């Protein structure tokens, strides 16, 4: 029997999701032996886009798409992969919701280019040259480069069959997802591949799991304001932990290291707008209204990983 064919593409991401797959360690060998990897660009295999484009439609069993859709090249490959793959998975929070790189939508492309290529302290660019979309090399070869766009989650471009959260996805969760894929035991199309529990539900700091009620926070703190206790609920202590609304497939890694959950696992099932639900959850855990004004940098706190897929989507200036 032929092995299932797998394609992997890194679009507007950092490569951390690729490294998370390598983090499977020895299990990676088992996974690799069970799959026929036909495309893994641009990080692992030197496969050309034209090779992918030439494959018959529907000939790839599973496509993993990591990173968000940030330029015309990502958009093109997203559409090609949708045609070629029977199952297309948004792999990691960038592909699923736009990710931390989706915060670019708070600025215009012009502002971002000016900041990156002209205004940084380390930039020496007196002629204010910005990246071009077409360049003629040696006076005869025209090189066309991708056009920047607002950041989008994959499902804002093509239909997505499944979502896997995490920045990057936790390697043990990836192993479970591959097992589900290879055995065909998948949830209904359109679902997240998740164990379906919030970070709070798997967190050793949760007083509710020890039969005690959760107390309201009487102050708002940041981790730079001092170390939290070793085992108390961070939210009770005033650290704005997003564990109540985040999928806990990582096993509550951050709270176990004294760091509030920042929401990279993606929204718990049934939540359409992570940021809105997070605002509601945190507000309900504060002792009084005055504390709301003390929440530092709410957009980056509540929409850190999900701005493009949220109802806000991007900053609009009129
Ligand atoms: S989800 Fe995180 S690790 Fe994966 S590509 Fe995006 S930023 Fe990198
Ligand atoms: S709010 Fe954070 S620290 Fe508290 S139980 Fe939930 S995940 Fe753990
Ligand atoms: S605790 Fe939250 S931020 Fe940390 S890895 Fe888990 S889901 Fe991501």
């Amino acid at each position: 029997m032929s092995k299932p064919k797998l394609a992997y593409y890194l679009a507007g991401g950092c490569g951390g999701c690729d490294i998370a797959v390598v983090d499977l360690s020895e299990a990676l060998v088992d996974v690799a032996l069970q799959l026929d990897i036909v495309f893994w660009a641009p990080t692992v295999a030197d496969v050309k886009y034209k090779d992918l484009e030439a494959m018959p439609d529907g000939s790839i069993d599973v496509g993993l798409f990591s990173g968000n859709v940030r330029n015309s090249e990502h958009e093109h490959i997203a559409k090609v992969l949708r045609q070629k793959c029977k199952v297309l998975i948004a792999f990691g929070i960038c592909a699923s919701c736009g990710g931390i790189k989706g915060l670019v939508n708070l600025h215009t492309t012009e502002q971002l280019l000016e900041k990156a290529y002209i205004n940084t302290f380390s930039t020496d660019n007196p002629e204010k040259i910005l990246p071009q979309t077409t360049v003629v090399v040696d006076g005869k070869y025209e090189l066309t480069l991708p056009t920047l766009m607002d950041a989008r989650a994959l499902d804002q471009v093509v239909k997505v069959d499944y979502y896997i959260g995490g920045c990057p996805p936790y390697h043990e969760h990836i192993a479970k997802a591959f097992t589900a894929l290879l055995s065909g035991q998948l949830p209904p199309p359109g679902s997240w591949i998740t164990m379906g529990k919030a970070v709070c539900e798997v967190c050793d700091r949760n007083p509710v799991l020890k039969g005690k009620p959760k107390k309201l926070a009487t102050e708002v703190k940041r981790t730079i304001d001092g170390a939290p206790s070793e085992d108390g609920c961070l939210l009770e202590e005033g650290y704005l932990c997003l564990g109540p609304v985040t999928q806990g497939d990582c096993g509550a890694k951050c709270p176990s290291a004294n760091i509030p959950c920042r929401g990279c696992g993606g929204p718990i099932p049934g939540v359409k707008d992570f940021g809105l639900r997070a605002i509601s959850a945190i507000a309900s855990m504060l002792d009084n209204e005055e504390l709301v004004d003390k929440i530092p940098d709410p957009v980056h706190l509540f929409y850190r990983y999900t701005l493009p897929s949220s109802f806000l989507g991007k900053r609009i200036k009129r």
Side-chain angles (χ1 to χ4, degrees):
M1 203 174 85
S2 62
K3 296 176 188 175
K5 290 187 167 54
L6 177 92
Y8 186 107
Y9 179 60
L10 165 64
C14 69
C17 284
D18 299 54
I19 292 169
V21 177
V22 177
D23 259 358
L24 288 170
S25 307
E26 304 92 63
L28 181 61
V29 177
D30 294 335
V31 169
L33 286 174
Q34 293 182 63
L35 293 165
D36 180 9
I37 299 170
V38 295
F39 179 80
W40 193 317
T43 45
V44 172
D46 185 21
V47 188
K48 307 299 181 205
Y49 290 164
K50 64 178 167 48
D51 298 330
L52 176 69
E53 286 157 358
M55 292 177 196
D57 289 357
S59 62
I60 302 172
D61 294 283
V62 179
L64 298 179
F65 190 103
S66 72
N68 62 23
V69 179
R70 180 77 174 96
N71 65 34
S72 51
E73 179 176 324
H74 303 152
E75 186 180 65
H76 171 65
I77 298 299
K79 288 177 179 170
V80 175
L81 279 172
R82 179 64 279 179
Q83 268 181 298
K84 308 297 170 190
C85 297
K86 292 188 186 109
V87 171
L88 184 61
I89 299 178
F91 185 68
I93 199 68
C94 281
S96 298
C97 295
I100 203 157
K101 294 160 193 323
L103 291 170
V104 293
N105 287 4
L106 293 172
H107 310 276
T108 64
T109 299
E110 291 72 31
Q111 287 170 334
L112 293 164
L113 289 175
E114 199 174 304
K115 184 74 180 173
Y117 290 93
I118 298 172
N119 288 338
T120 50
F121 291 119
S122 57
T123 302
D124 181 15
N125 183 6
E127 292 170 29
K128 300 190 174 53
I129 296 170
L130 295 173
Q132 306 296 307
T133 48
T134 50
V135 180
V136 177
V137 183
D138 293 341
K140 50 185 171 178
Y141 304 110
E142 187 173 291
L143 181 64
T144 306
L145 297 171
T147 312
L148 274 177
M149 300 166 158
D150 286 335
R152 283 172 292 170
L154 182 60
D155 66 4
Q156 292 173 296
V157 179
V158 293
K159 181 171 162 285
V160 168
D161 298 304
Y162 297 104
Y163 302 81
I164 296 179
C167 180
Y170 186 52
H171 63 88
E172 282 179 13
H173 183 53
I174 298 173
K176 284 183 197 154
F178 273 124
T179 305
L181 273 170
L182 289 167
S183 63
Q185 291 175 331
L186 286 163
S191 309
W192 290 71
I193 299 178
T194 170
M195 65 178 176
K197 287 188 172 175
V199 175
C200 281
E201 291 177 87
V202 295
C203 176
D204 290 341
R205 291 173 173 271
N206 191 346
V208 177
L209 299 181
K210 297 171 194 156
K212 298 178 194 160
K214 231 182 205 182
K215 294 188 212 123
L216 298 182
T218 53
E219 53 187 328
V220 167
K221 291 194 244 175
R222 295 190 295 173
T223 42
I224 53 167
D225 295 329
S229 68
E230 283 297 313
D231 56 3
C233 170
L234 297 165
L235 198 44
E236 278 188 346
E237 293 177 25
Y239 298 98
L240 300 178
C241 179
L242 303 186
V245 291
T246 304
Q247 288 179 152
D249 299 303
C250 65
K253 280 286 167 286
C254 296
S256 69
N258 283 1
I259 298 167
C261 170
R262 290 166 299 175
C264 86
I268 49 174
V271 171
K272 285 207 173 110
D273 190 307
F274 178 87
L276 281 180
R277 180 58 77 90
I279 290 168
S280 156
I282 294 295
S284 71
M285 287 299 296
L286 299 179
D287 180 63
N288 59 71
E289 271 182 45
E290 284 71 45
L291 292 175
V292 172
D293 293 333
K294 297 193 174 156
I295 295 176
D297 198 357
V299 173
H300 288 90
L301 173 68
F302 296 119
Y303 291 93
R304 186 186 307 254
Y305 296 103
T306 59
L307 180 66
S309 66
S310 72
F311 294 131
L312 292 176
K314 61 180 180 176
R315 172 179 284 186
I316 297 172
K317 286 190 179 163
R318 296 186 197 280

